[in-house]
Amino acid sequence: MLLRLGTRGSPLALVQANMVRDALLAAHGWSPETVEIVPIRTTGDRVQDRPLAEIGGKALWTKELDRALLDGTIDLAVHSMKDVETIRPDTIAVAAMLPRADVRDRLIGAESLDALPQDARIGTSSPRRAAQLRRLRPDLAIVPLRGNVDTRRAKVAAGEADATLLAAAGLDRLGYGDIGRAIDTDHLLPAPSQGAVGIEVRAGDAATRIHVAAIGDAPTERCVWAERALLAAISGDCHSPIAALATIEPAGMRLRAEILRADGSEHVRIERTGLSGDAEEAAEQARDLLSGASPQLRRLFGH
């Protein structure tokens, strides 16, 4: 048996692909040659000079991998779940998610947001991070900054921005655990699904689906599905400044969520505890978020 594992070719994507490969080998006692990693270049990797929202959104990370999966070039695909569109084709299924890593953002270039000088330039192409930064520090200048982790760190070092925000999970996986300052989620709530790695298969490929399910982490999957259900109910897309985080606690699931205007001038943040984690609860929280928003903010999310 040979399983061909498709992945983007960035350093972080390859690390995550190897994490999946190692987990599969360990879970099933397979020999190393059983799982072959197949790098696939995506549009999101090729186009680095414009924000994703301007050129097609999250599908730029997935469409080439989807095509390879459906035409049989690969048997499974590895994704950072925050890069996966909320609505996926019926022909593709998320078979498992690895245990979630640190969900926080880390600030690169300063000890804290408060330590940044007046009118400092923060590099990010994330609508969510940009809106949150503008809410916390209206004086900051947001400048576009895309690329992989090393590229963005190099751009800050070269002075293209005074600081940037990067996902702690990606930094840790690349061996940069000592870089940057993590920002508590009470101050900066992460993107839905941040820190989670998912594995997709063809929906009709029962054998591969069973193999992959063996490495899934149930608490991660439960939390990420709740966050994605909330995102779907709000109708958020790559243009939408939205944050959400579900965690499992003794009394049940805790789900926090936030929506913002792009300029940070308005935000609505709510929290519920003791949840089961089903999609209807997430949809109810989405309705609560929108009900507390101004008509202008609701229109940003198509309501």
Side-chain angles (χ1 to χ4, degrees):
M1 181 183 69
L2 172 66
L3 284 179
R4 296 155 300 171
L5 188 159
T7 176
R8 292 170 52 205
S10 72
L12 177 57
L14 290 170
V15 167
Q16 293 176 167
N18 276 284
M19 288 167 52
V20 171
R21 177 179 180 271
D22 291 346
L24 285 169
L25 298 184
H28 299 291
W30 292 339
S31 58
E33 65 273 9
T34 304
V35 181
E36 175 189 358
I37 292 177
V38 182
I40 294 174
R41 189 163 172 79
T42 69
T43 304
D45 293 310
R46 289 195 296 270
V47 181
Q48 294 289 322
D49 60 344
R50 284 170 287 169
L52 289 181
E54 293 182 4
I55 54 174
K58 291 183 176 182
L60 298 177
W61 299 129
T62 58
K63 64 180 182 179
E64 285 88 356
L65 285 162
D66 289 352
R67 188 179 303 120
L69 188 58
L70 293 175
D71 70 16
T73 301
I74 59 175
D75 303 297
L76 57 157
V78 179
H79 298 285
S80 293
M81 285 302 298
K82 75 172 183 177
D83 293 335
V84 177
E85 312 96 290
T86 310
I87 307 300
R88 300 292 286 136
D90 292 339
T91 49
I92 293 175
V94 178
M97 299 179 204
L98 297 184
R100 198 173 201 173
D102 191 339
V103 300
R104 296 174 295 177
D105 285 323
R106 288 223 287 262
L107 180 66
I108 310 296
E111 289 297 307
S112 68
L113 291 176
D114 289 340
L116 286 164
Q118 184 78 10
D119 302 322
R121 296 165 304 144
I122 305 295
T124 182
S125 294
S126 160
R128 187 262 312 176
R129 287 174 175 147
Q132 289 174 322
L133 289 167
R134 288 178 175 126
R135 180 180 73 82
L136 295 168
R137 286 281 307 269
D139 62 293
L140 296 176
I142 308 299
V143 297
L145 195 70
R146 281 199 55 214
N148 63 37
V149 169
D150 287 327
T151 297
R152 282 184 276 178
R153 289 181 59 219
K155 288 180 177 180
V156 171
E160 294 186 30
D162 298 308
T164 190
L165 289 168
L166 295 172
L171 290 167
D172 291 343
R173 288 169 183 151
L174 287 167
Y176 298 145
D178 58 344
I179 291 174
R181 298 290 180 179
I183 301 177
D184 191 274
T185 56
D186 287 337
H187 297 292
L188 212 67
L189 204 61
S193 308
Q194 186 155 312
V197 173
I199 307 101
E200 291 191 322
V201 302
R202 291 181 291 278
D205 186 352
T208 300
R209 194 167 184 169
I210 290 170
H211 290 319
V212 172
I215 64 172
D217 181 71
T220 295
E221 292 167 0
R222 185 179 166 198
C223 289
V224 170
W225 286 123
E227 293 164 19
R228 288 173 66 82
L230 181 141
L231 185 63
I234 291 178
S235 304
D237 60 21
C238 59
H239 297 269
S240 307
I242 179 170
L245 178 63
T247 52
I248 304 297
E249 301 184 358
M253 179 180 289
R254 177 191 185 198
L255 180 57
R256 292 176 283 166
E258 178 182 45
I259 56 175
L260 307 97
R261 291 181 71 165
D263 63 2
S265 62
E266 180 186 358
H267 82 289
V268 180
R269 184 166 177 166
I270 61 174
E271 173 180 339
R272 290 181 64 191
T273 57
L275 303 178
S276 67
D278 65 33
E280 180 48 41
E281 286 177 334
E284 182 180 342
Q285 185 144 336
R287 291 190 289 271
D288 289 346
L289 271 171
L290 291 166
S291 68
S294 68
Q296 293 85 356
L297 183 53
R298 288 198 295 272
R299 280 198 294 271
L300 182 64
F301 293 89
H303 293 268

